[in-house]
Amino acid sequence: MLTFPNAKINLGLNITAKREDGYHDIESCFYPIPLKDALEIIPSEKLSFETTGLKIPGNSNDNLVFKAYKLLKADFKLTPVDIILHKNIPMGAGMGGGSANGAFMLTLLNDYFELNISTQKLQQYALKLGSDCPFFIENKPKLISGRGEISENTELDLSGYYLALVYPNIHISTAEAYSAVKPKKPAVSVKEIIETYPIEKWKDLLNNDFEKGIFEKYPQLNEIKNKFYSEGAIYSSMTGSGSTIFGIFKESSEKNYDTILAL
């Protein structure tokens, strides 16, 4: 059985408070985009996990795909499978590729083994894998708050626009990104901006709190953002904790960007 975990971008990202549990409270809009990995499970006599495509650093036992299998196996009688993950979404790029892989694995196993786990329960399992994982269970535009586990539907629809992505091959860890952030309440919430103002107004209103510290350390990222605007983007931002910079255009661009997607 085969599925295709997709990436997301953050439209706005405010770090509003440091929590007692060590996490941070955030507010953002997560928007799914059609940049995808491939994930397959095949019946097997022995559990195995292999990856192709982009090289994934670290131990495979720490991969969220493998953890998702172990998580459900603790509660259900799962037989062994061969797991094959083809990585196309860059890692440490702020697009949620790893989170998507873990969440899609939960859904894939639910379908394959006919476990009949509800969407709400799948989201609870996904939260055990990571703060961003529950979003990918429903996988539609959401206003996100809390540490990432609280979501609210939004009618935002960017169909008809084009998304350009530039990933400058800089891996930024979550810890590195947060180290330069001072949490604060925003003057205007992401929800209000997204639902009240047209996209043409977002440039001066919708911010990513990670940008200031990360741009100081990696000024080339700010240069990419400025280049997007100089070439006609109606909105540009770093996504998540970086380092991918995206630009939203009204028309498909012929510029030499890493990836151009129709939304």
Coordinates of all heavy atoms in Angstrom, one line a residue, residues 20-82:
E20 N 5.7 25.9 30.8 CA 6.4 25.3 31.9 C 6.9 23.9 31.5 O 7.8 23.4 32.1 CB 5.4 25.2 33.1 CG 5.1 26.5 33.8 CD 4.2 26.4 35.0 OE1 3.9 25.2 35.3 OE2 3.9 27.4 35.6
D21 N 6.2 23.3 30.5 CA 6.7 21.9 30.1 C 7.8 22.0 29.1 O 8.3 20.9 28.6 CB 5.5 21.2 29.5 CG 4.9 21.8 28.2 OD1 5.5 22.8 27.7 OD2 3.9 21.4 27.7
G22 N 8.4 23.2 28.9 CA 9.6 23.3 28.0 C 9.2 23.6 26.6 O 10.1 24.0 25.8
Y23 N 8.0 23.4 26.2 CA 7.6 23.8 24.8 C 7.2 25.3 24.8 O 7.3 26.0 25.8 CB 6.3 23.0 24.4 CG 6.6 21.5 24.2 CD1 6.4 20.6 25.2 CD2 7.1 21.1 23.0 CE1 6.6 19.2 25.0 CE2 7.3 19.7 22.7 CZ 7.1 18.8 23.8 OH 7.3 17.5 23.6
H24 N 6.9 25.8 23.6 CA 6.5 27.1 23.4 C 5.0 27.2 22.8 O 4.7 26.3 22.1 CB 7.4 27.9 22.4 CG 8.7 28.2 22.9 ND1 9.7 27.2 23.0 CD2 9.3 29.3 23.4 CE1 10.8 27.8 23.5 NE2 10.6 29.0 23.7
D25 N 4.3 28.2 23.2 CA 3.0 28.4 22.6 C 3.2 29.2 21.3 O 4.0 30.1 21.3 CB 2.1 29.2 23.5 CG 1.4 28.3 24.6 OD1 1.2 27.1 24.3 OD2 1.2 28.8 25.7
I26 N 2.5 28.8 20.3 CA 2.7 29.4 19.0 C 1.3 29.8 18.4 O 0.3 29.3 18.9 CB 3.4 28.5 18.0 CG1 2.5 27.3 17.6 CG2 4.7 28.1 18.5 CD1 3.0 26.5 16.4
E27 N 1.3 30.6 17.4 CA 0.1 30.7 16.6 C 0.6 30.8 15.1 O 1.5 31.5 14.8 CB -0.8 31.9 17.0 CG -0.1 33.2 16.9 CD -1.1 34.4 17.2 OE1 -2.0 34.2 18.0 OE2 -1.0 35.4 16.5
S28 N -0.1 30.1 14.3 CA 0.3 30.1 12.9 C -0.8 29.6 12.0 O -1.9 29.1 12.5 CB 1.5 29.2 12.7 OG 2.0 29.2 11.4
C29 N -0.7 29.7 10.7 CA -1.6 29.0 9.8 C -0.7 28.0 9.0 O 0.2 28.3 8.4 CB -2.2 30.0 8.8 SG -3.3 29.2 7.6
F30 N -1.1 26.7 9.1 CA -0.4 25.6 8.4 C -1.2 25.4 7.1 O -2.4 25.3 7.1 CB -0.4 24.3 9.1 CG 0.6 24.3 10.3 CD1 1.3 25.4 10.7 CD2 0.8 23.1 11.0 CE1 2.2 25.4 11.8 CE2 1.7 23.0 12.1 CZ 2.4 24.2 12.5
Y31 N -0.5 25.4 6.0 CA -1.1 25.3 4.7 C -0.4 24.1 3.9 O 0.8 24.2 3.6 CB -1.0 26.6 3.9 CG -2.0 26.6 2.7 CD1 -3.3 27.2 2.9 CD2 -1.7 26.1 1.5 CE1 -4.2 27.2 1.9 CE2 -2.6 26.1 0.4 CZ -3.9 26.7 0.7 OH -4.8 26.8 -0.4
P32 N -1.1 23.0 3.6 CA -0.5 21.9 2.8 C -0.1 22.3 1.4 O -0.9 23.1 0.8 CB -1.6 20.9 2.9 CG -2.9 21.6 3.0 CD -2.6 22.8 3.8
I33 N 1.0 21.8 1.0 CA 1.4 22.1 -0.4 C 1.8 20.8 -1.1 O 2.1 19.8 -0.5 CB 2.7 23.0 -0.4 CG1 3.9 22.4 0.3 CG2 2.3 24.4 0.2 CD1 5.2 23.2 0.2
P34 N 1.7 20.8 -2.4 CA 1.9 19.5 -3.2 C 3.4 19.2 -3.5 O 3.7 18.8 -4.6 CB 1.1 19.8 -4.5 CG 1.2 21.3 -4.7 CD 1.2 21.9 -3.3
L35 N 4.2 19.3 -2.5 CA 5.6 18.7 -2.6 C 5.6 17.5 -1.7 O 5.3 17.6 -0.5 CB 6.6 19.8 -2.0 CG 8.0 19.4 -2.0 CD1 8.6 19.2 -3.4 CD2 8.9 20.4 -1.3
K36 N 6.0 16.3 -2.3 CA 5.6 15.1 -1.6 C 6.8 14.1 -1.5 O 7.7 14.1 -2.4 CB 4.5 14.4 -2.4 CG 3.2 15.2 -2.4 CD 2.1 14.5 -3.2 CE 0.8 15.3 -3.2 NZ -0.2 14.7 -3.9
D37 N 6.8 13.3 -0.5 CA 7.6 12.1 -0.3 C 6.7 10.9 -0.8 O 5.5 11.1 -1.2 CB 8.0 11.8 1.1 CG 9.0 12.9 1.6 OD1 9.7 13.5 0.8 OD2 9.1 13.1 2.8
A38 N 7.3 9.7 -0.8 CA 6.5 8.5 -1.1 C 6.7 7.5 0.1 O 7.9 7.3 0.5 CB 6.9 7.9 -2.4
L39 N 5.7 6.9 0.5 CA 5.8 5.9 1.7 C 5.0 4.7 1.3 O 3.8 4.8 1.0 CB 5.2 6.6 2.9 CG 5.2 5.8 4.2 CD1 6.6 5.3 4.7 CD2 4.5 6.6 5.3
E40 N 5.6 3.5 1.4 CA 5.0 2.3 1.1 C 5.2 1.2 2.1 O 6.3 1.2 2.8 CB 5.6 1.8 -0.3 CG 4.9 0.5 -0.8 CD 5.4 0.1 -2.2 OE1 6.5 0.5 -2.6 OE2 4.7 -0.7 -2.9
I41 N 4.2 0.4 2.4 CA 4.4 -0.8 3.2 C 4.0 -2.0 2.4 O 3.0 -2.0 1.7 CB 3.6 -0.7 4.5 CG1 2.1 -0.4 4.3 CG2 4.1 0.4 5.4 CD1 1.2 -0.5 5.6
I42 N 4.8 -3.1 2.6 CA 4.6 -4.4 1.9 C 4.6 -5.5 2.9 O 5.4 -5.5 3.9 CB 5.7 -4.6 0.9 CG1 5.8 -3.4 -0.1 CG2 5.6 -5.9 0.1 CD1 7.0 -3.4 -1.0
P43 N 3.7 -6.5 2.8 CA 3.7 -7.6 3.7 C 5.1 -8.3 3.8 O 5.8 -8.4 2.7 CB 2.7 -8.6 3.1 CG 1.8 -7.7 2.2 CD 2.7 -6.6 1.7
S44 N 5.5 -8.7 4.9 CA 6.8 -9.3 5.1 C 6.8 -10.2 6.3 O 5.9 -10.2 7.2 CB 7.8 -8.2 5.4 OG 9.1 -8.7 5.6
E45 N 7.8 -11.1 6.4 CA 8.0 -12.0 7.5 C 8.7 -11.3 8.6 O 8.7 -11.8 9.8 CB 8.7 -13.3 7.1 CG 7.9 -14.1 6.1 CD 8.6 -15.4 5.7 OE1 9.8 -15.6 6.2 OE2 8.0 -16.2 5.0
K46 N 9.4 -10.2 8.3 CA 10.2 -9.5 9.3 C 10.1 -8.0 9.1 O 10.2 -7.6 7.9 CB 11.7 -10.0 9.2 CG 12.6 -9.4 10.2 CD 14.1 -9.9 10.0 CE 15.0 -9.2 11.0 NZ 16.4 -9.7 10.8
L47 N 10.0 -7.3 10.2 CA 9.9 -5.8 10.1 C 11.2 -5.2 9.5 O 12.3 -5.6 10.0 CB 9.6 -5.2 11.4 CG 9.5 -3.7 11.5 CD1 8.4 -3.2 10.7 CD2 9.4 -3.2 13.0
S48 N 11.1 -4.4 8.5 CA 12.3 -3.7 8.0 C 11.9 -2.3 7.6 O 10.8 -2.0 7.3 CB 12.9 -4.5 6.8 OG 12.0 -4.4 5.7
F49 N 12.9 -1.4 7.5 CA 12.7 0.0 7.1 C 13.9 0.4 6.3 O 15.0 0.3 6.7 CB 12.6 0.8 8.4 CG 12.4 2.3 8.2 CD1 11.6 2.8 7.2 CD2 13.2 3.2 8.9 CE1 11.4 4.1 7.0 CE2 13.0 4.6 8.7 CZ 12.2 5.0 7.7
E50 N 13.6 0.9 5.1 CA 14.6 1.4 4.2 C 14.2 2.7 3.6 O 13.0 3.0 3.5 CB 15.0 0.4 3.1 CG 13.9 0.1 2.1 CD 14.3 -0.8 1.0 OE1 15.1 -0.3 0.1 OE2 13.8 -1.9 0.9
T51 N 15.2 3.5 3.3 CA 14.9 4.8 2.7 C 15.7 5.0 1.4 O 16.8 4.4 1.2 CB 15.3 6.0 3.7 OG1 16.8 5.9 3.9 CG2 14.6 5.8 5.0
T52 N 15.1 5.8 0.5 CA 15.8 6.1 -0.8 C 15.6 7.7 -0.9 O 15.0 8.3 -0.1 CB 15.1 5.4 -1.9 OG1 13.7 5.8 -2.0 CG2 15.2 3.9 -1.8
G53 N 16.2 8.2 -2.0 CA 16.1 9.6 -2.2 C 17.1 10.4 -1.3 O 18.3 9.9 -1.1
L54 N 16.7 11.5 -0.8 CA 17.6 12.3 0.1 C 18.0 11.5 1.3 O 17.3 10.8 1.9 CB 16.8 13.6 0.5 CG 16.4 14.6 -0.6 CD1 15.5 15.7 0.1 CD2 17.6 15.1 -1.3
K55 N 19.3 11.7 1.6 CA 19.9 11.0 2.7 C 19.3 11.5 4.0 O 19.3 12.7 4.3 CB 21.4 11.1 2.7 CG 22.1 10.3 3.8 CD 23.6 10.3 3.7 CE 24.2 9.6 4.8 NZ 23.8 8.1 5.0
I56 N 18.8 10.6 4.9 CA 18.3 11.0 6.2 C 19.3 10.8 7.3 O 19.8 9.7 7.5 CB 17.0 10.2 6.5 CG1 16.0 10.4 5.4 CG2 16.4 10.6 7.9 CD1 14.7 9.5 5.6
P57 N 19.7 11.8 8.0 CA 20.7 11.7 9.0 C 20.1 11.0 10.3 O 18.9 10.9 10.5 CB 21.1 13.1 9.4 CG 19.9 13.9 9.0 CD 19.3 13.3 7.9
G58 N 21.0 10.4 11.1 CA 20.6 9.8 12.3 C 20.2 8.3 12.2 O 20.3 7.7 11.1
N59 N 19.8 7.7 13.3 CA 19.5 6.3 13.4 C 18.0 6.1 12.9 O 17.1 6.9 13.2 CB 19.6 5.9 14.9 CG 19.4 4.4 15.0 OD1 18.6 3.8 14.5 ND2 20.3 3.8 15.8
S60 N 17.8 5.1 12.1 CA 16.5 4.8 11.5 C 15.5 4.5 12.6 O 14.3 4.8 12.4 CB 16.6 3.7 10.5 OG 17.0 2.5 11.2
N61 N 15.9 4.0 13.8 CA 15.0 3.8 14.9 C 14.3 5.1 15.4 O 13.3 5.0 16.1 CB 15.7 3.0 16.0 CG 16.0 1.6 15.6 OD1 15.3 1.0 14.8 ND2 17.0 1.0 16.3
D62 N 15.0 6.2 15.1 CA 14.5 7.5 15.6 C 13.6 8.1 14.6 O 13.0 9.2 14.8 CB 15.7 8.4 15.9 CG 16.5 7.9 17.1 OD1 15.9 7.3 18.0 OD2 17.7 8.2 17.1
N63 N 13.5 7.5 13.4 CA 12.6 8.1 12.3 C 11.2 8.0 12.7 O 10.7 7.0 13.3 CB 12.9 7.4 11.0 CG 12.2 8.1 9.8 OD1 11.0 8.0 9.7 ND2 13.0 8.7 9.0
L64 N 10.4 9.1 12.5 CA 9.0 9.1 12.9 C 8.1 8.0 12.2 O 7.1 7.6 12.8 CB 8.4 10.5 12.7 CG 9.0 11.6 13.5 CD1 8.2 12.9 13.3 CD2 8.9 11.3 15.0
V65 N 8.5 7.6 11.0 CA 7.8 6.5 10.4 C 7.9 5.2 11.2 O 7.0 4.5 11.4 CB 8.4 6.3 8.9 CG1 7.9 5.0 8.3 CG2 8.0 7.5 8.0
F66 N 9.2 4.9 11.6 CA 9.4 3.7 12.4 C 8.7 3.8 13.8 O 8.1 2.9 14.3 CB 10.9 3.5 12.5 CG 11.3 2.1 13.0 CD1 11.2 1.0 12.1 CD2 11.7 1.9 14.3 CE1 11.5 -0.2 12.5 CE2 12.1 0.6 14.7 CZ 12.0 -0.5 13.8
K67 N 8.8 5.0 14.4 CA 8.2 5.2 15.7 C 6.6 5.1 15.6 O 6.0 4.6 16.5 CB 8.5 6.6 16.2 CG 10.0 6.7 16.7 CD 10.2 8.1 17.4 CE 11.6 8.2 18.0 NZ 11.8 9.5 18.7
A68 N 6.1 5.5 14.4 CA 4.6 5.4 14.2 C 4.2 3.9 14.2 O 3.2 3.6 14.8 CB 4.2 6.1 12.9
Y69 N 5.0 3.1 13.6 CA 4.7 1.7 13.6 C 4.8 1.1 15.0 O 3.8 0.4 15.4 CB 5.7 0.9 12.7 CG 5.4 -0.6 12.6 CD1 4.5 -1.1 11.7 CD2 6.1 -1.4 13.5 CE1 4.3 -2.5 11.7 CE2 5.8 -2.8 13.5 CZ 5.0 -3.3 12.6 OH 4.7 -4.7 12.6
K70 N 5.8 1.4 15.7 CA 6.0 0.9 17.1 C 4.9 1.4 18.0 O 4.4 0.7 18.9 CB 7.3 1.4 17.6 CG 8.5 0.7 17.0 CD 8.6 -0.8 17.2 CE 9.9 -1.4 16.7 NZ 9.9 -2.9 17.0
L71 N 4.4 2.7 17.8 CA 3.4 3.3 18.6 C 2.1 2.5 18.5 O 1.4 2.2 19.4 CB 3.2 4.7 18.2 CG 2.2 5.6 19.0 CD1 2.7 5.7 20.4 CD2 2.1 7.0 18.4
L72 N 1.7 2.2 17.2 CA 0.5 1.4 17.0 C 0.6 -0.1 17.4 O -0.3 -0.7 17.9 CB 0.0 1.5 15.6 CG -0.5 2.9 15.1 CD1 -1.2 2.8 13.7 CD2 -1.5 3.5 16.1
K73 N 1.8 -0.6 17.2 CA 2.0 -2.0 17.5 C 1.8 -2.2 19.0 O 1.5 -3.3 19.5 CB 3.4 -2.5 17.1 CG 3.6 -4.0 17.3 CD 4.9 -4.4 16.6 CE 5.2 -5.9 17.0 NZ 4.1 -6.8 16.9
A74 N 2.1 -1.2 19.8 CA 1.9 -1.4 21.3 C 0.5 -1.6 21.7 O 0.2 -2.1 22.7 CB 2.5 -0.1 22.0
D75 N -0.5 -1.1 20.8 CA -1.9 -1.2 21.1 C -2.7 -2.1 20.2 O -3.8 -2.5 20.5 CB -2.5 0.2 21.0 CG -2.1 1.2 22.1 OD1 -1.5 0.7 23.1 OD2 -2.3 2.4 21.9
F76 N -2.1 -2.5 19.1 CA -2.7 -3.4 18.1 C -1.8 -4.5 17.7 O -0.6 -4.4 17.8 CB -3.2 -2.6 16.9 CG -4.1 -1.5 17.2 CD1 -3.7 -0.2 17.4 CD2 -5.5 -1.7 17.2 CE1 -4.6 0.8 17.7 CE2 -6.4 -0.7 17.5 CZ -5.9 0.6 17.7
K77 N -2.4 -5.6 17.2 CA -1.6 -6.8 16.8 C -1.2 -6.5 15.3 O -1.9 -7.0 14.4 CB -2.4 -8.1 16.9 CG -2.7 -8.4 18.4 CD -3.4 -9.7 18.5 CE -3.6 -10.1 19.9 NZ -4.4 -11.4 20.1
L78 N -0.1 -5.9 15.1 CA 0.4 -5.6 13.7 C 1.3 -6.7 13.3 O 2.3 -7.0 14.1 CB 1.1 -4.2 13.6 CG 0.3 -3.0 14.1 CD1 1.1 -1.7 13.8 CD2 -1.1 -2.9 13.5
T79 N 1.2 -7.2 12.1 CA 2.1 -8.2 11.6 C 3.3 -7.4 10.9 O 3.2 -6.2 10.6 CB 1.5 -9.1 10.5 OG1 0.9 -8.2 9.5 CG2 0.4 -9.9 11.1
P80 N 4.4 -8.0 10.7 CA 5.6 -7.3 10.2 C 5.3 -6.8 8.7 O 4.6 -7.4 8.0 CB 6.7 -8.4 10.2 CG 6.3 -9.4 11.2 CD 4.8 -9.4 11.1
V81 N 6.0 -5.7 8.4 CA 5.9 -5.2 7.0 C 7.3 -4.7 6.7 O 8.1 -4.3 7.5 CB 4.9 -4.0 6.9 CG1 3.5 -4.6 7.1 CG2 5.2 -2.9 8.0
D82 N 7.5 -4.6 5.4 CA 8.6 -3.8 4.8 C 8.2 -2.4 4.6 O 7.1 -2.2 4.0 CB 9.1 -4.4 3.5 CG 9.8 -5.7 3.6 OD1 10.4 -6.0 4.7 OD2 9.7 -6.5 2.7

